[in-house]
Amino acid sequence: MEYIENIPIYLQIKDYLEEKIITESYSLGEQMPSVRQLALELAVNSNTVQKALKVMIEEGVIITLRGKGNFVTENAAIVEELKNQIVSETFDSTYDKLHLLKMNNQEITNSFSNYVKQKEKNFE
């Protein structure tokens, strides 16, 4: 994993793990790799991984079972909300950038619609 310099590494790890959960690389209720395993895999200090996991535990995305480790929540609504949050953040950023280009809402909608149509053609 390559890290972006101006974003704290633990937040980048959190985003990485959340993506794995949303895409079901880690299924609902599945045990997460240990802190040590994640630290080795991501080439970071285990304290950095622990900090990312702590935030995810506080958000309810990961559950800790004493003596057994960390597990992905079994609550699909939490994962769906996480997905919706990421979509919203992505759209917010894109919307703001397009408004800076002096595009109005109709132009943004048309551009996005055309973008999706083009992507669909590319997948055919």
Side-chain angles (χ1 to χ4, degrees):
M1 185 172 165
E2 292 190 26
Y3 299 102
I4 300 168
E5 191 144 334
N6 61 344
I7 299 172
I9 292 174
Y10 82 95
L11 290 176
Q12 294 178 64
I13 293 169
K14 176 183 170 283
D15 289 346
Y16 169 80
L17 294 173
E18 288 174 344
E19 181 180 304
K20 289 212 169 258
I21 291 168
I22 290 168
T23 60
E24 298 179 0
S25 292
Y26 298 141
S27 302
L28 295 177
E30 181 178 344
Q31 185 170 11
M32 300 284 296
S34 70
V35 171
R36 184 174 286 142
Q37 287 173 311
L38 287 169
L40 287 172
E41 176 186 333
L42 301 171
V44 296
N45 185 292
S46 60
N47 292 332
T48 306
V49 172
Q50 189 59 50
K51 190 171 183 179
L53 293 175
K54 181 178 183 250
V55 174
M56 295 176 76
I57 290 165
E58 290 169 358
E59 294 173 348
V61 177
I62 293 176
I63 308 298
T64 298
L65 298 178
R66 177 171 260 152
K68 295 191 178 196
N70 295 313
F71 293 79
V72 176
T73 182
E74 292 182 353
N75 187 339
I78 290 175
V79 176
E80 187 63 28
E81 178 56 34
L82 182 62
K83 180 179 177 180
N84 291 338
Q85 179 183 350
I86 292 169
V87 169
S88 181
E89 289 170 1
T90 302
F91 283 159
D92 285 346
S93 174
T94 302
Y95 183 83
D96 291 344
K97 286 177 185 176
L98 294 176
H99 265 279
L100 287 174
L101 297 174
K102 306 292 187 205
M103 294 178 73
N104 64 39
N105 289 345
Q106 189 59 49
E107 290 172 320
I108 292 170
T109 302
N110 291 341
S111 293
F112 188 72
S113 178
N114 290 335
Y115 176 83
V116 170
K117 287 176 186 173
Q118 186 61 44
K119 286 293 190 179
E120 288 174 344
K121 284 182 185 177
N122 292 343
F123 285 117
E124 292 177 354

